[in-house]
Every structure is written in C-alpha cells, then in structure tokens.
Amino acid sequence: MTMKTIQFPKLTFWRGVIAVIMLLGIYSTGYRFIKGLGASTALSDQFPWGLWIGFDVLCGVGLAAGGFTITAAVYIFNMKKYKPIIRPTVLTAFLGYILVSTALLYDLGKPYNIWHPLVMWNPHSVMFEVAWCVMLYSTVLALEFLPIVFEKFNMERPSRILRKISIPLVITGFLLSTLHQSSLGTLFLIVPEKLNGLWYSPILPLFFFVSAIAAGLSMVIFESFLSNRFFRKELEIDLLEGISRVIVVVLGCYFVLKILDITHRGVLPLLLVPGMERSLFLAEIFIGVIIPFILFAMPKVRINKKGLFISAFMVVIGFVMNRMNVSITGMAASSGVDYFPTWMEISITAFIVAIGFVVFALAVKYLTIFQPAKSEESTEKFEEYTTEFLQDETAGTIASYPKV
Amino acid sequence: MKSLLIDTTKCVGCLECVGACKRANNLPEGDTEELSWKTYTVVKEFKGIYVRKLCMHCSNPSCASVCPVGALHKTSAGPVVYDEDKCIGCRYCMVACPFSVPKYEWSNPLPRIRKCIFCAERLAKGLQTACAEACQYGATTFGDREALLEEGRSRIEAEPDKYINQIYGENEVGGTSTMFLAGVSFSELGFRTDLAKDPMPMLTWKVLSMIPDIVIMGGVIMGGIAWLTNRKNEVSLHELMEKDKEKSLNKKDSK
C-alpha cells in the first residue's frame, strides 16, 4: 500500500507528459498526412532532409546498436555474463527499428510506396542497401525477440526451433548491423561539395560504425538506469562496469581515427574558422568522446551509479550531436538557408519516442523482459544442466548453458 | 547521346526558352527567378551576362545512382528522366545532386520530384528540346554530344578573345549533357567550379562494392569465433560434469 502511494504521483506526472505528447503528436500526424510535408515541416528545396532523417532515422538506428553488440558478445564471443541484459537490449533494438521505420513513413513523400525497394532494385544506391538492411535486421530482431513472446504463451516447440538457429541469427544480425550502421555514413559520401570538411570524410562509414557501437553500449547503460528507476529493476553494476570498459576502448579508437582523419585530410585549418560548425564540432568531440573517455577510464566512475549514468549519457548526447551535425549543421552552409524544425516536426519526433517508452513499459509489464534474480537463475540452470542437458546434449541450446 | 550547348555570350535574356519549356511540359505559371516544381529552367543575370539554369543531365548522374528504386535514370538518348510511379519520395536525389537541381512539390500531399527531363518525349519523336527550338539567338544548340563539343571547341578557337578556353560540362563530374561556353570564368557566372572530374557515384560505389566481401569475410570470422568459443564452453561443461560425477562417487564411497 505504502509503496503504491509513493509511486502514484510520479507515474501521474509522466503519464501526463506522455498524454500531452501523444495528443500533439496525433494532431501533427493528421496535419502532415493531409496537408503534406511543405505545410508541416520547415523543409525546402534547399534543405530537403531535416529532423526526421537526422534524429529519428540516423540516431534511432545508431542508438539501437546495443542490440547487435550485446547479442554478439554473448552468443559469439561467449561472454555469458551479459546474458541478463540481452532481453531488454534486443527489445530496445527491435522497438528502435520499428520506430525508425515509422518515422520514415512520415518523412517519405509517398509513404504508400515504401515497399518499392523490395521489387524495384537499384544496387548502386546506398539508400537501397539501407532499406534492405533495415528490413532484414528488423526481421532478425523479431526472431530474436519472439522466444520471449512464445514463453509467455508456453509455446515450447517454436521457441526451441528459434533457439537452434540462434547463432546463425546473431551472426546475420551482426553483419546486417555492420553494413547499415556504416551505410548511414556512406549516404553522405555522395555530397563532398555540400558537407562541411569537418565531417565529410572518405571513412565516414567507419566513423558511423564505430560511434554506433559506443553509443549503442552507452544506451544499454542509460536504459539500465531508467529501468532501475521506473521498473525497480536491480542494477548489475558489474555488467555495466564491463560494458563501460569496452566503451573506453571504442571511444579511444574513435578519437584516434578522428585525429588521423582530420590531419591526413588537411582540414585542421577549418578548426581555426570561427562559426557554428567549429563550435558544434568541438562540442560533439568534447561532450561525446573526450570527457566520457576520461570519466569511463577512471575505475571510481565505472563502479559508481551516477558516474556511469552521466558518462553514458554524455556519449549518447555526443552521438546525437554528431548525427545532427552531419545531416543538418554540416549541410547548412552549402544550402544557403537556415533550417530549424517546426513544432510539428518536433512533436512527431517526441511522439515516436514516447510510443517507444510506452511499448517498452507494456512489454516489461506483460512479458519477462528482466530475467529472475540471480540466485533463482542459477538453481534453474543447475537443474537444466544436470537433467535436461544430459538427455539433449546435441540440441546444444546455448541459452541453457550454465555460467562456467 | 543528345546534348545541349549553351553559349552564354550569345544569350540576350529574352526568356523565350523559359516560356517554351513551360508550354512543352505543361508547367504552371510563376517562379521564373529560381528553379522550382513550377519551373524547369530559368535565365539568371550575372553583371549583364545571361546564364541558363537547368538539369545538367550528367553522363553518370548522382540522382539516378542514389535513388533506391530507380525512379530516376539516364537514358541512352541523353535525358535523365523520372518515373513518378516508382518514386517513394525519399528526396535523396535532391541531397545528392551536385548542382542542386531536383525540386519537390512541397505543397502537394503526394509530391513528385520535378526537374528538366530534356523533353524526353519530344526527343523520342525525333524533335529537339523545346528550349533549343525556341532560341532565336543561337544561344542554346541541340545536337549530338560529340558534335557539340566539336562545335564548342571551334567557337573557342575562332574567337579566343571572346571565350575562355573551357567547356563547362565536358569533364565536370564525369561529363554532362548540358554544356556551357562563357566569356568570363565560370565561377563568376554562379557555376560550381570545385567539382571533381570523376563521376560522383564512384564515391559511394567504392564502398558499396565491398559489401559482398564484408558479408563473406564477416560471416566466416564471426562463425569461426562462435564455433571456437562455444566449443570451449562445451569442454569446460564436460569437465564440470565429470567433476560432479566424481564427487557423487566419492560420496557413495565414503558412505
């Protein structure tokens, strides 16, 4: 009872916020689809891609990158320690991709033609590759997520089949993610004369891939804390500590690559040109790379709840800045116009993010997203390994392996 | 491949080409200053020199290469044409075009990409483009690309004082079907002079063509790692089970 009275006002506040966002979002949705892109957005012939591509698509896909890194760590690199966070991470990635596809429906001028890349092929187009990767990877994520649904309805057979193909599935997911995380960067290789030299680089695909790994893992930490706050989920600091070590390494690689790229391309003088580009470039590097690198490198921070949260949040912010800089700030000067999203563009973005939160919360409520506490789990696993495993050894159900 | 040669030294800014273009393509009135969904070509003035703006119809066009569904494509006859039924409206062509030519019907709830299509239908009937036909001053000439390049070179040779020694579009982004002659440097006439000589689609194709290799190599590496690490797991699992058996045996013995 007391628990409820403490929880209640907090939930009402967030519910209120979400309700407002939903109402505005529904209004803007109607407006956009009836009146068109011109009436609802600040986009123009000079500036055809804005917030929905920059944030909803480029950031959405990148922030879902935790999905392929964590599944690969567990199933391919056999780091069983991270198994407890697979479910929330796969759910986040799956939701992320569905929401990216939803956002795309808003942005496409002819959304009812979204299926065209299935039958009308242009393999020379990066966008074609992105479309296919997103479709295929969404399918992979759905297959990775389905066992949780089967479990709810006690459907043993289909989930057994899915478990058997889990390794090929994870490898496919890893390859698809590698391809299209980087191809979002490849998209911008075609505009060497339009994108500011601070961001345009022939290795843009590599930058997008590496930064997505850092951001995806940071999102895992970030969302662990949200889950801790909203779903009273236990925090596995030891897991997050391990993840933050990986982030340190990835951020380090990213930084070194960035320095090498900037010096080799001879664009260092661009850093002497005062202006929005320079300020935002430096902000992106300091907030998203240098400061979190230093913070995460300190053991004290890695085992501190707040320290982890703040550092991870900075990586995420820096990542979002980077994607917005590539797609908006970096393109602004050559376009000759100032783009700033309309309130309707912003409300639809908020709407889509809010839907993500609501669906996540519903999934947590009705499905087993956060796995049982550790002691329970270990006895469960012990039983599995003493009885079931001996009988059905070749089934090789990776999921039932004990921690060794 | 059919092309246009536009001689900016001959253009008087009469705008006959703009009107002819509107009539030939059934475009609405208005927007005669800048290209838009209503206007496929405009004439701009740079210190008394008139310069037409229209789609360059690149030999290897960025717009066609980036379109995920192939709604834009370069025909062998020369025009870069658009199929509105294929288009999904992603606007990547607008982002990718180095000349920022494709325009969008922003006010239309189901918008189309609009740009000069080189009067593709007229060409199919054996006619020349409407703009070339309308030009009374010889500023816009229609013909085969090689012949027009030849013509351009001979004009430059004949009057080296009048022309600068460059045909814009001969080499830019791998060559275009719309080419220009000028008496002053092209940068003064609002042309992009920072474009590479290589076709732009090469920039992305270099990366895209690596995909099969990445998939095969990645698949083999990841599969191999999974096999190795999980084998290690199996081995240690067996060791564990052996130990357990020993333990239970020892217990029985001690009993």
Side-chain angles (χ1 to χ4, degrees):
Chain A
M1 275 303 282
T2 47
M3 279 271 285
K4 262 190 182 165
T5 46
I6 295 166
Q7 246 178 341
F8 206 61
K10 202 160 54 191
L11 280 174
T12 332
F13 171 71
W14 285 112
R15 277 184 187 165
V17 169
I18 286 190
V20 172
I21 292 175
M22 293 282 176
L23 282 176
L24 293 177
I26 290 165
Y27 175 82
S28 304
T29 302
Y31 202 86
R32 181 260 170 268
F33 285 107
I34 293 165
K35 298 271 186 171
L37 284 167
S40 51
T41 68
L43 299 173
S44 62
D45 282 332
Q46 290 73 36
F47 213 89
W49 280 0
L51 183 71
W52 293 341
I53 293 289
F55 183 82
D56 302 18
V57 176
L58 294 187
C59 294
V61 166
L63 296 175
F68 84 93
T69 41
I70 298 288
T71 49
V74 172
Y75 290 101
I76 297 172
F77 294 96
N78 204 15
M79 297 156 144
K80 293 287 178 273
K81 181 178 150 191
Y82 296 103
K83 238 198 117 200
I85 50 165
I86 277 206
R87 287 182 168 203
T89 315
V90 167
L91 172 62
T92 314
F94 184 41
L95 273 179
Y97 274 78
I98 290 179
L99 295 176
V100 164
S101 314
T102 311
L104 215 54
L105 286 176
Y106 282 87
D107 193 75
L108 290 182
K110 299 183 177 193
Y112 53 93
N113 280 347
I114 196 169
W115 54 275
H116 277 187
L118 279 172
V119 289
M120 300 168 190
W121 287 28
N122 179 15
H124 279 260
S125 164
V126 184
M127 189 70 89
F128 172 78
E129 188 218 329
V130 172
W132 269 88
C133 281
V134 169
M135 278 188 293
L136 291 176
Y137 189 49
S138 302
T139 314
V140 166
L141 282 168
L143 292 177
E144 285 177 350
F145 183 70
L146 268 178
I148 305 172
V149 182
F150 291 149
E151 185 186 274
K152 168 84 181 169
F153 298 104
N154 287 320
M155 292 155 81
E156 250 307 304
R157 275 253 303 278
S159 108
R160 208 170 261 259
I161 296 167
L162 281 180
R163 240 186 251 160
K164 272 186 191 167
I165 58 162
S166 60
I167 296 242
L169 212 55
V170 167
I171 293 176
T172 313
F174 187 89
L175 293 174
L176 287 168
S177 296
T178 309
L179 289 180
H180 81 281
Q181 290 291 356
S182 51
S183 56
L184 290 177
T186 318
L187 281 179
F188 291 90
L189 286 186
I190 198 94
V191 288
E193 78 294 340
K194 288 185 182 174
L195 181 56
N196 186 288
L198 288 172
W199 291 284
Y200 185 88
S201 158
I203 58 164
L204 208 51
L206 188 61
F207 281 137
F208 266 53
F209 178 66
V210 177
S211 56
I213 293 179
L217 292 175
S218 297
M219 271 303 277
V220 172
I221 296 181
F222 179 68
E223 99 201 351
S224 288
F225 280 89
L226 291 188
S227 307
N228 174 246
R229 177 136 157 56
F230 290 102
F231 309 122
R232 314 199 151 267
K233 183 213 143 205
E234 181 199 343
L235 260 186
E236 290 113 339
I237 292 280
D238 61 321
L239 289 191
L240 303 186
E241 197 268 345
I243 290 176
S244 58
R245 278 172 192 263
V246 180
I247 298 175
V248 172
V249 176
V250 178
L251 286 180
C253 291
Y254 182 79
F255 186 68
V256 171
L257 269 177
K258 247 326 197 238
I259 297 289
L260 288 176
D261 174 63
I262 285 184
T263 45
H264 283 319
R265 281 188 301 117
V267 290
L268 264 178
L270 282 178
L271 287 173
L272 300 174
V273 185
M276 192 172 60
E277 284 89 352
R278 182 180 72 169
S279 314
L280 285 168
F281 178 80
L282 291 175
E284 162 199 323
I285 295 290
F286 275 97
I287 296 173
V289 187
I290 298 176
I291 300 175
F293 175 85
I294 296 170
L295 286 173
F296 273 138
M298 295 192 281
K300 219 167 44 188
V301 174
R302 283 203 305 271
I303 53 163
N304 177 284
K305 208 170 137 171
K306 260 192 189 151
L308 273 172
F309 177 74
I310 291 171
S311 320
F313 191 60
M314 287 182 88
V315 176
V316 170
I317 295 286
F319 171 85
V320 170
M321 286 180 78
N322 171 259
R323 296 307 192 255
M324 304 285 263
N325 282 341
V326 170
S327 62
I328 297 174
T329 321
M331 301 284 281
S334 67
S335 77
V337 294
D338 285 322
Y339 164 82
F340 192 82
T342 61
W343 76 264
M344 278 192 262
E345 283 174 89
I346 297 170
S347 75
I348 283 170
T349 295
F351 179 53
I352 289 172
V353 173
I355 292 176
F357 274 103
V358 171
V359 177
F360 192 92
L362 289 175
V364 169
K365 198 172 173 190
Y366 294 107
L367 301 168
T368 321
I369 301 299
F370 296 115
Q371 280 165 322
K374 270 176 193 156
S375 55
E376 241 179 279
E377 200 182 19
S378 57
T379 45
E380 211 176 86
K381 275 183 180 167
F382 183 73
E383 276 166 20
E384 269 176 41
Y385 125 68
T386 46
T387 57
E388 199 186 300
F389 189 81
L390 280 175
Q391 290 158 12
D392 192 13
E393 202 176 4
T394 43
T397 49
I398 306 302
S400 66
Y401 279 173
K403 232 175 186 173
V404 282
Chain B
M1 198 159 56
K2 297 296 179 195
S3 294
L4 290 175
L5 181 67
I6 297 169
D7 191 333
T8 57
T9 64
K10 294 191 175 184
C11 182
V12 298
C14 69
L15 301 182
E16 280 302 318
C17 52
V18 178
C21 174
K22 290 231 177 206
R23 286 190 295 279
N25 294 291
N26 296 319
L27 297 174
E29 291 299 311
D31 286 359
T32 43
E33 302 290 310
E34 295 287 342
L35 297 183
S36 79
W37 66 275
K38 290 179 180 172
T39 312
Y40 290 170
T41 184
V42 292
V43 177
K44 290 190 145 189
E45 195 202 323
F46 294 87
K47 290 177 194 151
I49 301 168
Y50 296 100
V51 180
R52 281 188 68 194
K53 265 204 96 178
L54 68 160
C55 175
M56 299 293 285
H57 296 279
C58 311
S59 303
N60 195 344
S62 296
C63 60
S65 95
V66 300
C67 180
V69 291
L72 288 153
H73 76 277
K74 174 93 176 171
T75 62
S76 53
V80 175
V81 293
Y82 170 67
D83 183 348
E84 62 180 79
D85 293 327
K86 281 188 174 179
C87 180
I88 61 173
C90 70
R91 308 186 295 284
Y92 192 16
C93 49
M94 302 174 72
V95 174
C97 174
F99 305 103
S100 302
V101 164
K103 302 296 173 202
Y104 209 48
E105 291 178 328
W106 292 100
S107 50
N108 185 347
L110 300 174
R112 297 171 295 180
I113 289 290
R114 304 274 82 183
K115 70 164 200 68
C116 160
I117 47 161
F118 215 89
C119 292
E121 278 180 30
R122 289 174 56 96
L123 253 67
K125 288 181 201 155
L127 298 166
Q128 54 176 329
T129 62
C131 57
E133 192 183 74
C135 186
Q136 303 297 312
Y137 300 88
T140 298
T141 322
F142 174 89
D144 280 313
R145 189 164 189 271
E146 288 311 311
L148 288 178
L149 276 171
E150 202 67 8
E151 165 74 23
R153 276 188 217 112
S154 60
R155 279 190 212 172
I156 293 170
E157 252 170 59
E159 293 174 276
D161 296 335
K162 188 177 168 192
Y163 293 102
I164 62 156
N165 189 16
Q166 185 193 353
I167 302 175
Y168 191 91
E170 183 178 9
N171 299 312
E172 276 70 17
V173 294
T176 61
S177 282
T178 308
M179 297 176 291
F180 290 86
L181 290 175
V184 296
S185 77
F186 282 102
S187 57
E188 281 174 60
L189 300 177
F191 286 86
R192 287 208 81 114
T193 45
D194 55 348
L195 298 174
K197 303 285 175 222
D198 296 321
M200 313 281 287
M202 287 311 292
L203 293 167
T204 43
W205 183 244
K206 267 184 216 157
V207 178
L208 279 172
S209 55
M210 278 159 55
I211 289 176
D213 296 353
I214 293 175
V215 169
I216 295 167
M217 288 293 290
V220 170
I221 292 172
M222 299 308 277
I225 293 173
W227 183 64
L228 286 174
T229 54
N230 289 305
R231 172 76 191 139
K232 219 164 75 188
N233 203 38
E234 266 172 48
V235 170
S236 42
L237 193 73
H238 276 280
E239 280 170 1
L240 238 141
M241 288 192 295
E242 293 289 312
K243 267 185 202 165
D244 274 5
K245 271 184 200 164
E246 271 174 39
K247 262 186 206 166
S248 52
L249 282 177
N250 288 345
K251 270 181 194 168
K252 274 179 194 166
D253 285 351
S254 59
K255 269 177 191 172

